[in-house]
């Protein structure tokens, strides 16, 4: 897909486990809760309804035990073991959330995650995060997007290998 | 589906032609251009890529011949002859449009159109338009939502019967 450098962040890595294991990690709530945010942060709630317009909700807890606002979104496209698209700009039933009012992050984005099988049995793992505006992209980058996604993916691979 | 009276507008009618004819009218650009806006307004361009994230773009022309800004959106869900969901808040490839910046209307919404077969061969035609905020809903209502959708649907039925 074509990137827009003003709006998009891309995370890419070749990993050693198969797409089917990654898919399981992303789509099973009990599994996702174990890797989705870098420790010692925790995911304390997770809701996944894996169909277009279905809810994707997580709640994180700080190392001090503070519950963060809900991260609420929905799925937009689901191609098992190959592609998962979701956004925090729409809630369940494709309902648009109020403008600039994501309690969790303060900006809206769409994640397009692609998994490709590698000849060695591993996965070409590529996430493109498309933001609504340049300010959101810059804020996400400054929050440590690359490092955060990298640590979370390490946790996912460790869990599912 | 559950309506939110602060955000949603609903248009419903029982019509005499079958869902398959309505579907053709909504999804074929050359056909859509003939009914989609109340005459003497015209649709002078239409682009439809009927898949999730695919473009839905129309351009209207006033009776005086003035070209309006593009109405740009994308499809979110497609269930042939039964359900069509699209939005003007995202463009092709599920890209979020800038906030409050729909050149065509100035507000964002999601349309969830449902077609149900009636025993007499006709269609139960229901569109729920879910707005991002109450201001958008009120503006859409004040623009003559019910009348506009009614006239357009009359044109569609006349064309496809």
């Amino acid at each position: 897909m074509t990137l827009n450098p003003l709006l998009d962040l891309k995370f890419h890595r070749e990993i050693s486990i198969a797409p089917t294991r990654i898919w399981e990690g992303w789509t099973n709530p009990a599994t996702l809760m174990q890797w989705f945010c870098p420790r010692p942060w925790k995911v304390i709630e997770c809701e996944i309804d894996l169909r277009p317009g279905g809810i994707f909700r997580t709640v994180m807890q700080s190392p001090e035990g503070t519950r963060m606002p809900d991260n609420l979104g929905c799925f937009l496209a689901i191609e098992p073991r190959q592609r998962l698209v979701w956004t925090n700009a729409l809630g369940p039933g494709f309902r648009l959330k109020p403008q600039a009012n994501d309690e969790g992050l303060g900006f809206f984005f769409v994640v397009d995650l692609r998994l490709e099988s590698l000849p060695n049995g591993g996965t070409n793992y590529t996430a493109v995060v498309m933001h609504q505006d340049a300010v959101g992209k810059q804020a996400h980058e400054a929050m440590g997007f690359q490092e955060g996604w990298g640590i979370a993916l390490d946790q996912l691979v460790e869990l599912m290998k």
Side-chain angles (χ1 to χ4, degrees), chain A:
Chain A
M1 56 187 296
T2 310
L3 295 193
N4 180 334
L6 295 176
L7 299 176
D8 300 347
L9 292 171
K10 180 177 176 173
F11 177 87
H12 171 258
R13 208 187 279 176
E14 293 189 5
I15 54 181
S16 59
I17 65 176
T20 182
R21 300 294 291 156
I22 300 289
W23 188 259
E24 165 71 13
W26 262 95
T27 59
N28 181 316
T31 312
L32 183 137
M33 291 173 71
Q34 297 176 61
W35 69 268
F36 194 63
C37 68
R39 284 187 280 271
W41 285 71
K42 285 181 190 169
V43 179
I44 54 173
E45 292 179 22
C46 177
E47 221 176 326
I48 289 176
D49 180 8
L50 202 61
R51 57 193 172 99
I55 195 169
F56 181 34
R57 187 180 69 88
T58 57
V59 182
M60 299 189 185
Q61 189 186 68
S62 78
E64 297 76 30
T66 304
R67 179 195 172 102
M68 299 289 117
D70 285 25
N71 297 307
L72 179 67
C74 80
F75 295 101
L76 296 174
I78 296 142
E79 299 171 24
R81 295 170 295 285
Q82 291 182 33
R83 187 181 179 210
L84 191 62
V85 184
W86 56 278
T87 184
N88 70 340
L90 282 72
F94 297 119
R95 272 200 180 273
L96 293 165
K97 288 164 62 181
Q99 284 194 357
N101 187 24
D102 185 67
E103 290 189 322
L105 287 169
F107 51 84
F108 288 151
F109 55 81
V110 173
V111 176
D112 193 329
L113 174 70
R114 314 262 182 142
L115 308 175
E116 286 175 337
S117 290
L118 291 172
N120 66 6
T123 300
N124 213 357
Y125 183 99
T126 309
V128 174
V129 183
M130 302 178 284
H131 298 80
Q132 189 172 32
D133 50 44
V135 172
K137 181 256 189 181
Q138 289 156 14
H140 207 171
E141 198 163 30
M143 284 170 60
F145 167 80
Q146 290 293 341
E147 188 191 25
W149 277 66
I151 294 171
L153 182 58
D154 286 342
Q155 295 177 171
L156 171 58
V157 171
E158 180 61 27
L159 183 68
M160 301 304 287
K161 76 182 177 191

